């Protein structure tokens, strides 16, 4: 489960970055692009931090942060979808990846909690 989550996290963050490089550079889009870059970068950084957790409780807490950041990235992608019709297919793909990553993160948190309670 951990390797799958790591792979998906890396892919989602990288795909968000690559998407942002294609977005037209203009004043009205810069705030959205910067926010998406920030949230997708944090997803990867906080997942790596969770791998160095000293306890299951710390691991769960760090994964919850990843979960929130994936959710935030998906939120910004939904805003992009409303304003950038020329990239809508890519945005739909990224949102799907984000939701899958979110589901995997939640499953990892639940598994860690169950293992901690044994």
């Amino acid at each position: 489960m951990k390797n799958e989550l790591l792979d998906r996290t890396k892919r989602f963050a990288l795909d968000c970055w690559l998407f942002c490089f294609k977005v037209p550079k203009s004043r009205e889009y810069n705030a959205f692009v910067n926010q998406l870059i920030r949230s997708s970068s944090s997803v990867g950084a906080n997942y790596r931090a969770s791998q160095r957790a000293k306890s299951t409780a710390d691991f769960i807490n760090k994964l919850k942060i990843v979960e929130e950041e994936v959710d935030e990235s998906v939120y910004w992608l939904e805003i992009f979808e409303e304003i950038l019709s020329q990239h809508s297919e890519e945005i739909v793909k990224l949102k799907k990846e984000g939701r899958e990553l979110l589901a995997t993160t939640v499953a990892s948190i639940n598994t860690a909690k169950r293992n901690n309670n044994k």
Side-chain angles (χ1 to χ4, degrees), residues 48-104:
R48 284 190 304 278
S50 75
Q51 295 301 294
R52 296 186 298 273
K54 303 287 187 231
S55 67
T56 304
D58 190 30
F59 176 72
I60 291 168
N61 289 336
K62 285 184 169 56
L63 274 186
K64 284 183 180 177
I65 294 169
V66 172
E67 180 185 356
E68 291 166 6
E69 288 164 341
V70 170
D71 206 25
E72 183 183 339
S73 293
V74 172
Y75 166 77
W76 287 108
L77 286 164
E78 286 168 356
I79 290 177
F80 269 123
E81 192 173 33
E82 291 175 20
I83 58 175
L84 293 175
S85 59
Q86 68 268 32
H87 294 295
S88 61
E89 284 180 26
E90 283 183 85
I91 296 168
V92 168
K93 177 186 158 274
L94 284 169
K95 280 171 44 185
K96 183 175 181 249
E97 280 178 24
R99 289 196 181 103
E100 288 172 0
L101 177 57
L102 199 55
T104 307

Side-chain angles (χ1 to χ4, degrees), residues 30-40 72-73 75-76:
N30 282 347
F32 296 111
V33 171
N34 289 337
Q35 193 59 46
L36 180 58
I37 286 174
R38 251 185 254 117
S39 58
S40 63
E72 183 183 339
S73 293
Y75 166 77
W76 287 108

